[in-house]
Amino acid sequence: MPANQLKTLSLAVTSAILLSACSNLEPKPYSEQEARERIVADQLTMYAEQEPVTAPISFYEAAARALKYNLDYRLKLMESALASDLHDVSSHEMLPRVVASAGYAGRNNDSGGTSIGIEDRQQSLRPSTSQERYRDIAGLNMSWSVLDFGVAYYRSQQKADQILMAEERRRRVAQNVLQDVRNAYWRALGAQRLLPQVDRLLQRTEQALSSAREAETQGLLPRQEILAYQRSLLDSVSLLTARRQDLEFAQAELKALMSLPPRSKLILVDDGSEPELPSLAADITRLENLALENRPEIMEEWYRKRVNITDLEIAKAQLWPNVSLELGYNYDSNKYLYNNDWSDTGINVSMNLMRLFQLPSLDSASESQAATDDLRRVALSMAILTQVRVGTLRYQLAQQDMGYADESLRVDQQLLDYAKAASSTSIGSELEVIRAEGRYLLSQYQREAAYSRAQAAWGRLYNSIGLDVLPEEIAQHDIKTLAHEIERTLNAQQGQGMLVSRVPLQGVVNAPAAP
């Protein structure tokens, strides 16, 4: 077969193979089996490598579990690690490029040529070649560009700032996780205390409703009176059922924060006492200064300004002349060469003159970018100051609500005592006792809710100040160590002038549980 026909046939076969491959690039959705395998793998990842729950969980242990196993927080940790790795990659771009190459070259005929005279255009040499058809080649070349070095240097600075930004985002997520845990934990503890009582009272209320309907049928009490009792009992059932749902939601939320399986049993530490609510410092200016100093959002915006400025510095650096240096060693097995290996060096200076017209626009953009970043940070600072002031007011109001809830609980407890003392075997007195128990249990719920709202208000205020949840260095990362460090860190921060003292709640009633 002639060489030209062989070349045409090879080209046709190659084209047919490429077209066949392109025709097979059809959308391919995941199968049901692949989806099931993905679900199982994701569920294993959710709850993988967790320390088992072997004892009731305290608030600090709940915070430790949330910070260690919460998926959002773990994602931010991975983003911080990724930013650090990218910084290492960008720093290597400042080094010279060293390229090693080796290969084999060949052709189906000889490479060569002739020479003609310039004046008479006559051929002066017969056709000749100075290169073998097949030869080995190799080389080791190093090149270094001043412009590439400058750009890589600025990029490395950007990556370093992005590491700091990722760290600020990690701090923000950790602070938000602690706030969410504080909000959910005390609600879940109230649920643990009240749910058994709610269930028992709902059962008794259903029995009382049956008795009231029977008394209505038999005419043992006036119809208007018995209907009023039923209406009161139904209202209590409605309120208790709604409160029961709120309590169950709190437990589910706390499990999700700690990344516990939804069906796992959750038992919280309950020694009958409550931590004392902190007393705020009188000088709100100090709280505002702490917020402006510590809030991760402000620090992230500040670092973002440097990243944006660096982008413009890179654009300006690309306007100036580029100096590149080259040094290399080469080898060619061509037997016609006088020297089969040689070294070469070179220096090159280049500049795109048209880019110089961009300089005024870049200067203007640099000023506008800096002003925009400053204004964004100032606006964020104003919002943060508002959060601190609103958080302070909300916490003070929550403390007042605590006092009202304590007083309501005290009154309903006395009413329950009177109802029990005045009870007899009559249906009306029994219904009155049940109504008093329902009011008392609702007061207990309102008191637990008021305490959890006060803790949540304190958590929002604490979060608005932006203090770190964890110390910078931790010897071990097991749950007990983390819980101890969180407790020690929070107590130390509160003792650094942020708080005046820790005062007991006024008017707290440690009343017995309703039967």
Side-chain angles (χ1 to χ4, degrees):
M1 181 180 293
N4 292 335
Q5 294 182 0
L6 180 61
K7 183 184 298 183
T8 302
L9 179 62
S10 301
L11 181 60
V13 172
T14 302
S15 301
I17 294 175
L18 291 175
L19 291 175
S20 176
C22 294
S23 64
N24 291 329
L25 297 178
E26 298 293 336
K28 184 180 179 182
Y30 287 112
S31 64
E32 294 184 0
Q33 178 63 27
E34 291 174 328
R36 286 192 293 267
E37 292 175 355
R38 187 261 305 165
I39 293 173
V40 172
D42 289 347
Q43 289 178 339
L44 291 176
T45 304
M46 291 178 190
Y47 313 117
E49 300 179 358
Q50 290 193 13
E51 295 184 29
V53 179
T54 58
I57 299 174
S58 67
F59 167 72
Y60 296 107
E61 289 174 351
R65 284 187 172 273
L67 288 173
K68 185 172 183 178
Y69 302 128
N70 186 274
L71 297 179
D72 290 338
Y73 182 65
R74 288 160 63 182
L75 176 61
K76 294 304 176 184
L77 285 178
M78 295 181 67
E79 289 180 356
S80 297
L82 176 60
S84 179
D85 293 339
L86 292 177
H87 173 259
D88 294 339
V89 172
S90 62
S91 63
H92 285 89
E93 293 180 356
M94 292 186 290
L95 299 176
R97 290 183 175 86
V98 179
V99 180
S101 61
Y104 174 80
R107 55 183 296 160
N108 65 337
N109 52 24
D110 290 319
S111 171
T114 62
S115 178
I116 61 174
I118 295 177
E119 295 181 354
D120 56 10
R121 315 301 293 175
Q122 297 295 319
Q123 179 175 332
S124 58
L125 294 175
R126 61 190 179 92
S128 62
T129 183
S130 60
Q131 178 177 294
E132 291 185 282
R133 291 190 180 184
Y134 305 100
R135 70 193 195 279
D136 298 323
I137 54 177
L140 181 64
N141 298 277
M142 182 187 73
S143 62
W144 185 74
S145 169
V146 174
L147 180 58
D148 290 344
F149 173 82
V151 171
Y153 175 76
Y154 283 125
R155 294 294 185 197
S156 181
Q157 284 186 331
Q158 276 190 322
K159 298 301 181 183
D161 288 332
Q162 289 171 357
I163 291 177
L164 299 175
M165 293 172 63
E167 179 64 18
E168 296 300 329
R169 289 193 293 269
R170 182 201 63 79
R171 288 181 57 220
R172 183 171 70 246
V173 171
Q175 294 167 6
N176 291 339
V177 166
L178 179 64
Q179 176 186 345
D180 293 339
V181 169
R182 191 188 296 273
N183 186 22
Y185 182 87
W186 300 110
R187 291 167 49 225
L189 182 58
Q192 180 176 294
R193 291 172 175 172
L194 296 180
L195 275 176
Q197 300 178 44
V198 172
D199 291 338
R200 287 195 298 268
L201 186 57
L202 283 173
Q203 185 177 2
R204 289 192 62 195
T205 304
E206 291 293 338
Q207 295 174 356
L209 278 172
S210 299
S211 299
R213 295 188 187 101
E214 184 178 353
E216 179 186 1
T217 303
Q218 297 178 359
L220 299 178
L221 291 173
R223 182 175 179 79
Q224 183 178 3
E225 182 179 348
I226 199 67
L227 289 176
Y229 281 135
Q230 292 183 46
R231 177 72 267 174
S232 177
L233 290 173
L234 289 172
D235 290 341
S236 297
V237 169
S238 178
L239 289 174
L240 289 173
T241 303
R243 299 298 182 265
R244 193 182 192 285
Q245 294 176 356
D246 294 340
L247 297 174
E248 289 180 346
F249 291 157
Q251 290 185 329
E253 182 181 349
L254 184 59
K255 289 179 183 179
L257 287 171
M258 294 189 293
S259 296
L260 292 177
R263 296 182 181 179
S264 60
K265 187 173 180 60
L266 180 63
I267 300 178
L268 306 179
V269 172
D270 185 9
D271 56 4
S273 62
E274 294 172 338
E276 299 169 352
L277 291 174
S279 176
L280 281 176
D283 187 8
I284 194 173
T285 303
R286 174 168 174 77
L287 299 181
E288 293 176 344
N289 290 335
L290 283 172
L292 295 177
E293 179 181 353
N294 294 289
R295 278 294 288 266
E297 294 93 331
I298 294 180
M299 297 303 299
E300 183 180 358
E301 284 297 330
W302 205 8
Y303 291 130
R304 193 188 309 279
K305 177 183 178 181
R306 292 203 310 204
V307 171
N308 293 335
I309 290 177
T310 304
D311 275 332
L312 295 171
E313 293 297 330
I314 292 174
K316 289 181 180 180
Q318 292 174 339
L319 303 180
W320 307 117
N322 179 33
V323 179
S324 58
L325 305 175
E326 295 182 358
L327 175 65
Y329 169 80
N330 300 276
Y331 169 77
D332 193 327
S333 65
N334 183 12
K335 66 180 180 180
Y336 299 120
L337 292 177
Y338 184 79
N339 293 309
N340 291 96
D341 59 324
W342 67 96
S343 299
D344 54 15
T345 58
I347 182 171
N348 182 47
V349 180
S350 61
M351 182 178 182
N352 187 345
L353 298 177
M354 298 301 296
R355 280 196 171 186
L356 289 178
F357 294 104
Q358 299 177 3
L359 185 58
S361 299
L362 289 175
D363 289 336
S364 177
S366 179
E367 295 177 0
S368 300
Q369 184 67 61
T372 302
D373 292 336
D374 288 338
L375 185 58
R376 185 187 298 113
R377 188 182 67 254
V378 171
L380 180 60
S381 300
M382 177 61 71
I384 287 173
L385 293 180
T386 303
Q387 289 179 3
V388 173
R389 290 186 174 271
V390 171
T392 302
L393 179 59
R394 183 183 285 119
Y395 182 58
Q396 293 171 347
L397 294 175
Q399 288 179 311
Q400 293 179 5
D401 289 341
M402 278 292 304
Y404 295 137
D406 288 332
E407 185 66 17
S408 297
L409 183 60
R410 182 188 64 82
V411 172
D412 286 332
Q413 181 185 359
Q414 293 180 359
L415 290 174
L416 177 58
D417 293 338
Y418 285 133
K420 288 181 178 180
S423 64
S424 63
T425 58
S426 64
I427 295 178
S429 61
E430 176 66 17
L431 293 177
E432 186 61 34
V433 171
I434 293 177
R435 285 199 306 177
E437 289 177 355
R439 286 195 303 266
Y440 175 71
L441 188 54
L442 287 174
S443 292
Q444 279 188 302
Y445 171 83
Q446 291 170 356
R447 201 273 172 191
E448 294 287 347
Y451 181 79
S452 65
R453 285 195 299 269
Q455 283 284 359
W458 167 245
R460 284 191 291 269
L461 176 60
Y462 193 92
N463 191 33
S464 68
I465 296 174
L467 297 176
D468 285 329
V469 178
L470 292 172
E472 295 182 359
E473 296 183 0
I474 302 176
Q476 297 178 352
H477 289 79
D478 59 281
I479 295 299
K480 287 186 177 181
T481 303
L482 279 175
H484 174 73
E485 292 296 334
I486 292 173
E487 182 177 8
R488 185 180 63 82
T489 301
L490 296 182
N491 291 335
Q493 290 170 351
Q494 294 173 2
Q496 291 175 355
M498 177 181 168
L499 304 172
V500 175
S501 62
R502 298 174 67 85
V503 297
L505 298 176
Q506 300 296 326
V508 176
V509 178
N510 295 321

